[in-house]
Amino acid sequence: MPAAPPIPVAEAQRRIVERIEPLDAERVPITRARDRVLAAAVVSKLDLPPWDNSAMDGYAVRAGEVHPGGPHPVVLDLPAGARSGQSLPPDGVARIMTGAPMPIGADAVIPVEQSTGPAGSGAFAEPGEEVCFEVRPEPGANVRRRGEDVSQGSIVLESGIVCRGSEIAMAASAGHASVDVVRRPEVAIVSTGDELVEVEAAGTADRIVNGNAYGLATKIEQAGGVARPLPIVPDEPDATNEAISDALTSDAVVTIGGVSVGGRDYVRDALVANGVEIVFWRVALRPGGPFAFGVAGGRSVFALPGNPVSALVTFDLFVRPALRKMSGHERCFPRHLRARLAEPISTRSDKTYYLRCRLEPNGSNEWSASITGPQGSGVLSSLVAADGMLIVPEGVDNLPAGAMVDFVPIDDRIAWQKAVA
Ligand code: AMP
Ligand code: MG
């Protein structure tokens, strides 16, 4: 039977994510929850703030009793951490610091900057001394009400939210030392090839380093997964079968190489022998066309071509979105930017090309895209130099300088610049 023709990139992406489900949940301490996706809503155990408190360093007063210009005795001292429930005696004011509980009876805070004490304008009076105020405050001025941010029992973080600094601060403030998050997918890496050695043996005659495994392990961890690199597999059917059988104990499997039409490419046969349904093989894409995706009982298999750039690019296009979905993310694909070509490019129109390029602001509120060098699927240096990839869609061949193209960032390089603008 002839093999099915290569499918478009977008169709491949759709067919992958529709076969992926988020993993189950686990509870982790909030100190380990960074970048994890909440599997359950977080409900506050507390009111925030937990009591009426001062928003300023100053004096807690009864607004109606303030006589602008007249002296007021300082009868209470309320530093942060002061006991709540203290009463403000009639005709007195309380020295109060930001966050300290409002004394019973007081309804406003006058900032110290708007007061004059024995030591002068803007300087605190000591308890027992007197203070004068410039103006009478509105009731409620500079008071934060109990529960005005969060009320006890309310949802403060919805399920599906990604835990970053602000979310962790909220969970902690709401009384949670741990949260329920979606489990990280464990991803086995199977490198195939008689020519491969690990990095410790770099320089061995007739051998190349299994560089892809290290790069992909890094990308798996960046994508939220846990990488499980397995030993290099020789190009032999039995060894390939056994390696894939072992790898299929993980949530997902990434194989490298051996998935093309070479005489010793055994990966697809080994997948089938292990009961993997091959959902598709080959994408109309360069670099990275001979990519296959399969599923086996809730586990997914991504068979990446061996050429280094092909492997890394197909990871970004097909594996990372799947790992994000497994990890609970609703947003699985990077946003594309629009950029203006700094130079003409020529490709073939039969497939989508992803070209390594650098982006620079061009001074007209636009991005300018320049190719970083030779685009062969084994050329890592032009990938290292790139901020991302520009996309020449199927059906397009030559593009002139100045044409607008889609650009997809790699990692977050373009998010950063050397100096403030
Ligand atoms: P393959 O897809 O197995 O035909 O491999 C294509 C090319 O990628 C060959 O030149 C391989 O040597 C190279 N290659 C395959 N696997 C790896 C790997 N794990 N790391 C680096 N290069 C690789
Ligand atoms: Mg090979």
Side-chain angles (χ1 to χ4, degrees):
M1 198 178 79
I7 62 173
V9 172
E11 183 184 336
Q13 291 174 318
R14 272 195 298 275
R15 290 176 70 175
I16 291 169
V17 292
E18 76 186 11
R19 300 296 294 266
I20 302 280
E21 293 296 334
L23 299 175
D24 44 346
E26 64 181 353
R27 175 152 291 208
V28 297
I30 53 174
T31 50
R32 310 290 305 169
R34 185 187 68 193
D35 294 340
R36 304 289 295 274
V37 179
L38 289 178
V42 174
V43 172
S44 186
K45 298 181 179 180
L46 306 166
D47 284 327
L48 297 179
W51 49 73
D52 292 357
N53 71 88
S54 175
M56 305 290 282
D57 293 329
Y59 297 91
V61 300
R62 289 184 177 82
E65 287 181 0
V66 171
H67 317 289
H72 296 271
V74 179
V75 297
L76 252 184
D77 193 23
L78 298 169
R83 195 162 43 78
S84 57
Q86 302 188 60
S87 293
L88 182 66
D91 300 320
V93 301
R95 186 163 79 163
I96 192 165
M97 299 304 150
T98 304
M102 289 292 286
I104 293 168
D107 61 359
V109 170
I110 301 176
V112 65
E113 294 84 351
Q114 295 168 18
S115 74
T116 303
S121 172
F124 266 116
E126 295 297 322
E129 296 179 341
E130 291 187 328
V131 60
C132 297
F133 303 119
E134 294 157 19
V135 291
R136 172 177 293 171
E138 293 295 323
N142 299 312
V143 177
R144 302 169 180 152
R145 292 283 165 213
R146 171 178 185 157
E148 74 177 17
D149 184 10
V150 166
S151 54
Q152 185 184 354
S154 67
I155 291 178
V156 288
L157 298 168
E158 299 282 354
S159 174
I161 277 185
V162 183
C163 291
R164 304 200 177 93
S166 45
E167 288 73 20
I168 298 300
M170 178 62 96
S173 302
H176 294 269
S178 62
V179 286
D180 292 322
V181 294
V182 180
R183 194 163 58 75
R184 297 172 69 185
E186 181 184 271
V187 185
I189 303 174
V190 178
S191 307
T192 72
D194 289 333
E195 73 279 29
L196 300 178
V197 291
E198 297 300 0
V199 65
E200 293 75 17
T204 303
D206 308 321
R207 295 289 177 266
I208 64 162
V209 175
N210 180 17
N212 285 341
Y214 302 95
L216 291 167
T218 303
K219 281 167 135 349
I220 287 165
E221 302 269 340
Q222 276 182 324
V226 179
R228 180 186 162 217
L230 297 177
I232 293 166
V233 183
D235 287 319
E236 286 159 16
D238 289 349
T240 311
N241 283 351
E242 280 171 33
I244 287 183
S245 165
D246 177 12
L248 279 168
T249 58
S250 293
D251 299 303
V253 177
V254 166
T255 66
I256 309 168
V259 73
S260 194
V261 291
R264 303 192 56 176
D265 287 347
Y266 297 117
V267 167
R268 281 181 303 130
D269 286 348
L271 293 176
V272 172
N274 277 283
V276 175
E277 172 202 346
I278 308 244
V279 177
F280 64 83
W281 173 53
R282 296 196 299 167
V283 183
L285 162 70
R286 194 176 190 131
F291 167 89
F293 170 64
V295 291
R299 301 173 201 274
S300 36
V301 181
F302 306 87
L304 275 44
N307 274 306
V309 178
S310 304
L312 297 168
V313 167
T314 50
F315 180 92
D316 279 12
L317 293 180
F318 305 125
V319 187
R320 188 172 52 194
L323 298 185
R324 286 180 67 83
K325 186 162 181 193
M326 284 181 215
S327 309
H329 286 275
E330 285 167 10
R331 301 179 186 201
C332 297
F333 295 95
R335 266 188 223 285
H336 290 185
L337 303 178
R338 294 287 284 169
R340 198 175 282 289
L341 274 182
E343 60 200 288
I345 52 178
S346 85
T347 57
R348 291 218 312 270
S349 62
D350 58 333
K351 44 183 71 127
T352 300
Y353 280 69
Y354 279 75
L355 303 181
R356 288 144 255 173
C357 73
R358 212 180 350 251
L359 276 202
E360 287 295 335
N362 71 358
S364 320
N365 272 329
E366 287 179 341
W367 294 107
S368 169
S370 340
I371 302 298
T372 51
Q375 297 289 312
S377 52
V379 182
L380 269 178
S381 50
S382 57
L383 185 59
V384 168
D387 294 315
M389 296 172 292
L390 73 82
I391 304 169
V392 186
E394 246 177 283
V396 175
D397 43 21
N398 295 304
L399 286 171
M404 293 299 285
V405 289
D406 265 29
F407 168 90
V408 58
I410 298 174
D411 307 328
D412 62 354
R413 288 178 221 182
I414 62 155
W416 301 95
Q417 59 186 7
K418 286 182 182 162
V420 289

